[in-house]
């Protein structure tokens, strides 16, 4: 998987060396010699990853990273801090300002490329979710994810049979999160299906194969998106690289440093919550795309797709499908006499009465205005007509409350009923139902007219 990588370092030979190595691996490389330029390039070019040196004059890497993560345009770009500093405080500070990883010079090429590939995969998923969220925003489904970016209060599953190590991790995490320890990998796989924000897995465990366990977690639909923090001896390069290849999100070197544990856990939980937020907004956007905002019923788009499929199955010998096409009588006079707010109250109450008088498998939909359709899979003409008359009677039985309940209106409805026959199309079926509505209105309204083919 290729990617566009921005390399930021004030020492030109370092920039050229990294550029050459990355280019040989078929990455597209952008370069900057200072933090200010890096911010401009990142905002304009939107690279997939930023390799950022810490020790730079003026704006150092920590401040540059902080600004990148504070800007909505660039906060989703993974940042790997690259520096000669190897102190614990610098590493924690880097993670604290939002860096996704921290590597030291001289750079281990194999480790760096493994990290880059892992972060590129993650960013590809996040980009897709963000793009779909933006599509939802353009459709009018707006949101603010800032409240989802907290990195505390996470549900953490520690999978480790080293009691001393897992106990220390649990003690440190308990101040901010809700950690539990599981020593049995089979039980841990079951626990991973639940609401888990982060898994910490000892891939160097002596009691079970930690790498195989990671593979099992990633192969399960219920847990494959859960972030994994792998505890591994940094000297065990083959195991470390295999863990990254299998899809762990981050590496926690042994012996576990409490501050680094907290910083990396916080970062992964924050990222998980934002990904969940984007997915929820995507699901909501998709729901809104097929739902009428006023009544909560399905809309014309959803009805058309479902009816097409049902008519197609009926044409191939499957169950028939019936439709009820209905139009609220004299609805224009409601708007003219009482205003559109009252009209909306009528439409919402109509939707409630409609939905409560059809079967669970039926699809009540609003076409627009005062027009509604019910799609009834498996229903014959006579059965559909009986349901239609039940709806008609319930509509006229009680006045519709308007003006906040201070007044009531008597409302009636005209309904046309049609059922599928051989060679039918959705358009033909709806047309027969529509003709039934016109006939009902012509004969005085508040009637059900069933139209055979």
């Amino acid at each position: 998987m290729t990617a566009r990588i921005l390399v930021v370092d004030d020492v030109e030979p370092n920039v050229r060396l990294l550029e050459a190595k990355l280019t040989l691996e078929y990455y597209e490389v952008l370069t900057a010699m200072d933090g200010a330029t890096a911010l401009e390039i990142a905002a304009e070019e939107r690279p997939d990853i930023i390799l950022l040196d810490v020790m730079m004059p003026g704006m150092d890497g920590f401040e540059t990273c902080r600004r990148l993560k504070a800007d909505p345009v660039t906060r989703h770009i993974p940042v790997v801090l690259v520096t000669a500093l190897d102190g614990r405080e610098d590493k924690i500070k880097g993670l604290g300002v939002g860096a996704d990883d921290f590597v030291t010079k001289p750079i281990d090429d194999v480790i760096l490329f493994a990290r880059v590939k892992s972060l590129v995969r993650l960013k590809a998923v996040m980009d897709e979710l963000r793009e779909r969220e933006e599509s939802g925003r353009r459709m009018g489904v707006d949101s603010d994810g800032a409240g989802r970016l907290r990195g505390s209060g996470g549900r953490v599953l520690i999978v480790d049979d080293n009691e001393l190590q897992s106990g220390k991790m649990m003690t440190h995490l308990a101040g901010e999160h809700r950690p539990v320890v599981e020593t049995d990998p089979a039980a841990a796989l079951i626990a991973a299906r639940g609401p888990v924000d982060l898994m910490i897995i000892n891939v160097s465990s002596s009691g079970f194969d930690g790498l195989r366990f990671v593979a099992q977690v990633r192969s399960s639909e219920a847990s494959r998106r859960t972030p994994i923090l792998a505890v591994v001896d940094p000297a065990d390069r083959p195991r470390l690289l295999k863990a990254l290849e299998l899809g762990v999100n981050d590496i926690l070197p042994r012996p576990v440093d409490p501050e680094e544990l907290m910083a990396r856990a916080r970062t992964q939980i924050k990222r998980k919550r934002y990904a969940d937020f984007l997915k929820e907004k995507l699901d909501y956007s998709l729901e809104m795309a097929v739902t009428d905002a006023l009544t909560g019923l399905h809309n014309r788009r959803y009805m058309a797709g479902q009816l097409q499929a049902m008519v197609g199955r009926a044409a191939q010998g499957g169950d028939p499908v019936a439709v009820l096409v209905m139009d609220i009588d004299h609805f224009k006079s409601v708007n003219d006499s009482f205003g559109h707010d009252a009209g909306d109250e009528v439409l919402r109450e109509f939707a409630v009465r409609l939905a409560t008088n059809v079967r669970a498998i039926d699809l009540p939909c609003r076409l627009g205005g005062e027009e509604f359709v019910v799609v009834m899979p498996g229903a014959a003409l006579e059965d559909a007509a009986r349901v239609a008359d039940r709806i008609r009677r319930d509509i006229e039985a009680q006045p519709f409350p308007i003006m906040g309940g201070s007044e009531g209106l008597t409302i009636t409805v005209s309904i046309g009923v049609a059922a599928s026959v051989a060679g039918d199309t959705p358009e033909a079926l709806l047309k027969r139902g529509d003709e039934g509505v016109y006939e009902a209105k012509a004969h005085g309204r508040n009637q059900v007219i069933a139209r055979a083919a």
Side-chain angles (χ1 to χ4, degrees):
M1 177 183 292
T2 188
R4 300 170 74 234
I5 301 178
L6 172 59
V7 176
V8 188
D9 197 319
D10 64 313
V11 179
E12 186 169 359
N14 292 344
V15 173
R16 298 308 165 209
L17 180 60
L18 261 180
E19 182 180 19
K21 290 179 177 180
L22 292 166
T23 301
L24 283 175
E25 294 293 322
Y26 301 100
Y27 291 107
E28 180 183 342
V29 181
L30 307 169
T31 63
M33 303 291 289
D34 58 76
T37 304
L39 293 175
E40 293 176 6
I41 294 176
E44 182 176 345
E45 298 292 338
R46 314 286 179 87
D48 295 300
I49 290 181
I50 299 174
L51 301 182
L52 176 61
D53 187 45
V54 167
M55 300 298 291
M56 295 187 296
M59 187 189 305
D60 65 13
F62 296 129
E63 177 61 18
T64 304
C65 182
R66 188 192 65 77
R67 295 192 187 189
L68 285 167
K69 294 301 183 178
D71 186 342
V73 174
T74 57
R75 67 165 53 134
H76 311 288
I77 303 173
V79 175
V80 179
L81 290 179
V82 183
T83 181
L85 298 174
D86 196 19
R88 169 178 176 271
E89 292 77 12
D90 297 302
K91 182 180 293 187
I92 294 169
K93 183 178 179 181
L95 295 169
V97 296
D100 296 85
D101 206 351
F102 195 106
V103 297
T104 58
K105 300 175 184 176
I107 296 173
D108 184 320
D109 294 349
V110 177
I111 296 294
L112 176 63
F113 291 139
R115 290 287 197 183
V116 166
K117 289 177 183 177
S118 176
L119 290 171
V120 167
R121 286 197 300 266
L122 173 66
K123 184 171 183 293
V125 173
M126 295 290 284
D127 282 350
E128 182 177 356
L129 288 171
R130 289 177 59 236
E131 182 178 342
R132 293 181 181 183
E133 186 204 19
E134 181 60 31
S135 297
R137 185 177 290 113
R138 288 195 295 268
M139 293 165 57
V141 184
D142 205 353
S143 63
D144 179 11
R148 305 297 185 99
L149 296 181
R150 292 186 306 109
S152 60
R155 294 156 295 190
V156 182
L157 175 61
I158 302 171
V159 187
D160 189 355
D161 61 352
N162 183 328
E163 292 186 9
L164 180 61
Q165 179 174 266
S166 63
K168 287 182 177 179
M169 287 193 291
M170 184 166 182
T171 299
H172 292 305
L173 289 167
E176 281 191 25
H177 307 287
R178 291 168 285 165
V180 295
V181 175
E182 184 55 71
T183 59
D184 178 19
L189 279 176
I190 296 174
R193 298 173 190 164
V196 176
D197 293 311
L198 173 66
M199 295 184 69
I200 301 177
I201 302 173
N202 180 9
V203 297
S204 300
S205 170
S206 58
F208 61 89
D209 187 337
L211 292 176
R212 183 173 298 279
F213 180 75
V214 169
Q216 291 172 326
V217 170
R218 285 293 178 250
S219 65
S220 170
E221 176 65 29
S223 58
R224 66 179 42 157
R225 296 176 185 84
T226 303
I228 297 176
L229 189 54
V231 181
V232 62
D233 186 342
D236 190 351
R237 285 171 52 84
R239 191 180 298 272
L240 188 154
L241 292 173
K242 192 64 178 178
L244 288 168
E245 181 184 326
L246 289 172
V248 305
N249 299 79
D250 202 357
I251 296 294
L252 185 63
R254 300 176 62 189
V256 175
D257 180 279
E259 293 295 328
E260 185 173 353
L261 165 67
M262 296 301 293
R264 292 191 184 275
R266 200 176 296 121
T267 296
Q268 292 301 322
I269 290 171
K270 185 184 295 186
R271 185 182 294 155
K272 162 73 160 47
R273 284 176 172 167
Y274 186 68
D276 289 346
F277 170 75
L278 291 177
K279 187 175 184 302
E280 287 171 13
K281 295 313 298 179
L282 168 61
D283 293 342
Y284 180 66
S285 298
L286 292 174
E287 180 182 347
M288 290 300 292
V290 297
T291 302
D292 175 61
L294 178 65
T295 64
L297 301 180
H298 293 301
N299 62 13
R300 179 189 293 267
R301 177 185 300 175
Y302 184 82
M303 183 275 296
Q306 294 298 309
L307 186 59
Q308 179 75 48
M310 292 180 195
V311 170
R313 287 194 292 269
Q316 296 175 4
D319 291 335
V321 57
V323 295
L324 313 183
V325 181
M326 54 195 72
D327 192 284
I328 299 175
D329 296 328
H330 302 296
F331 183 74
K332 185 176 182 299
S333 65
V334 175
N335 284 331
D336 291 344
S337 301
F338 299 95
H340 288 280
D341 287 345
D344 289 347
E345 289 180 287
V346 168
L347 292 172
R348 283 191 288 264
E349 175 64 17
F350 185 91
V352 170
R353 298 192 192 188
L354 176 60
T356 55
N357 277 285
V358 297
R359 304 171 302 172
I361 62 171
D362 295 335
L363 300 176
C365 311
R366 182 188 179 203
L367 290 192
E370 68 271 28
E371 297 179 281
F372 293 79
V373 168
V374 178
V375 179
M376 303 182 66
L381 186 66
E382 296 78 10
D383 297 327
R386 281 194 292 271
V387 172
D389 197 57
R390 183 170 69 228
I391 294 169
R392 181 196 64 78
R393 285 183 278 109
D394 191 45
I395 295 299
E396 72 167 344
Q398 296 290 332
F400 279 51
I402 62 169
M403 315 294 284
S406 61
E407 296 192 38
L409 287 178
T410 298
I411 300 294
T412 61
V413 62
S414 298
I415 307 176
V417 184
S420 62
V421 296
D424 241 340
T425 65
E427 294 76 17
L429 187 60
L430 288 171
K431 183 179 180 181
R432 291 201 302 276
D434 211 32
E435 290 171 348
V437 173
Y438 284 118
E439 185 175 339
K441 287 185 176 295
H443 286 79
R445 294 181 169 82
N446 192 23
Q447 295 185 31
V448 174
I449 301 294
R451 296 293 297 266

